[in-house]
């Protein structure tokens, strides 16, 4: 009985953690005029190069295994930083959308609702990508498709 209770408690805490991580949690609201200044630059071309399977295969073929694993971990950590930047920016878009939802103009309110939905979805994708990158950092020889879940939902 006690192990089951502990397991349920841990699962509940994990759920709360992920919901807070996806939605963003801030005790003090940020002024919307300052939100744009907090956006981070994310170089998507560099990120694409870091997670490119062809580039990884090239490195795997041309480097000794130990050196490949070391370099691959560095590349994956850099990719994880980019995913963190995307998640951060999505959080800011979420705050923009939440503030704009209060607009009396129904078109602005509807656009804000869509922005909030898209920002939450992007944070969720970033969370999944970060989990996959962390798994690949722990096991650099494994191959995990970072985009499998996102491309499956688009079809």
């Amino acid at each position: 009985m006690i192990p089951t209770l502990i397991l349920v408690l841990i699962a509940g805490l994990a759920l709360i953690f992920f919901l807070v991580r996806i939605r963003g949690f801030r005790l003090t609201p940020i002024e919307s005029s300052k939100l744009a200044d907090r956006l981070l630059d994310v170089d998507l071309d560099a990120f694409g190069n870091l997670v490119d399977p062809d580039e990884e295969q090239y490195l795997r073929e041309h480097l000794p295994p130990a050196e490949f694993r070391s370099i691959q971990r560095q590349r994956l950590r850099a990719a994880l930083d980019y995913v963190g930047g995307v998640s951060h920016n999505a959080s800011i878009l979420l705050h923009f959308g939440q503030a704009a939802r209060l607009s009396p103009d129904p078109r602005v309110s509807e656009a804000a609702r869509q922005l909030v939905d898209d920002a939450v979805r992007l944070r969720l994708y970033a969370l999944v990508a970060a989990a996959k990158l962390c798994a690949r950092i722990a096991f650099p020889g494994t191959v995990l498709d970072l985009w499998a879940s996102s491309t499956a939902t688009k079809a």
Side-chain angles (χ1 to χ4, degrees):
M1 176 67 179
I2 290 178
T4 304
L5 183 62
I6 291 173
L7 185 61
V8 168
L9 181 64
I10 290 172
L13 290 173
L15 178 64
I16 290 170
F17 170 77
F18 285 118
L19 288 175
V20 166
R21 182 84 171 120
I22 291 169
R23 289 284 304 186
F25 179 74
R26 202 172 279 287
L27 292 175
T28 57
I30 302 171
E31 293 179 37
S32 23
S33 62
K34 294 182 180 180
L35 285 174
D37 296 335
R38 302 186 87 183
L39 289 172
L40 300 175
D41 289 330
V42 178
D43 186 347
L44 294 179
D45 291 331
F47 174 75
N49 183 39
L50 291 170
V51 296
D52 182 15
D54 294 333
E55 183 72 22
E56 180 180 345
Q57 186 61 34
Y58 176 83
L59 292 173
R60 186 185 307 272
E61 291 171 358
H62 290 86
L63 294 174
E67 189 176 352
F68 166 75
R69 286 190 301 274
S70 174
I71 288 175
Q72 187 62 11
R73 280 191 178 107
Q74 291 173 5
R75 291 167 45 85
L76 293 171
R77 283 188 197 104
L80 190 57
D81 288 342
Y82 283 118
V83 169
V86 168
S87 179
H88 172 81
N89 289 347
S91 173
I92 290 174
L93 292 176
L94 185 63
H95 287 288
F96 266 132
Q98 288 171 338
R101 282 191 342 196
L102 303 175
S103 172
D105 184 351
R107 292 178 300 175
V108 172
S109 181
E110 176 58 26
R113 186 197 60 76
Q114 183 64 40
L115 178 63
V116 167
D117 291 347
D118 291 344
V120 168
R121 189 176 303 111
L122 181 57
R123 283 188 57 106
L124 181 60
Y125 288 152
L127 183 64
V128 170
K132 289 181 178 183
L133 285 169
C134 287
R136 292 201 56 213
I137 289 169
F139 306 104
T142 62
V143 177
L144 294 174
D145 185 6
L146 286 177
W147 314 118
S149 62
S150 64
T151 54
T153 58
K154 288 180 185 175

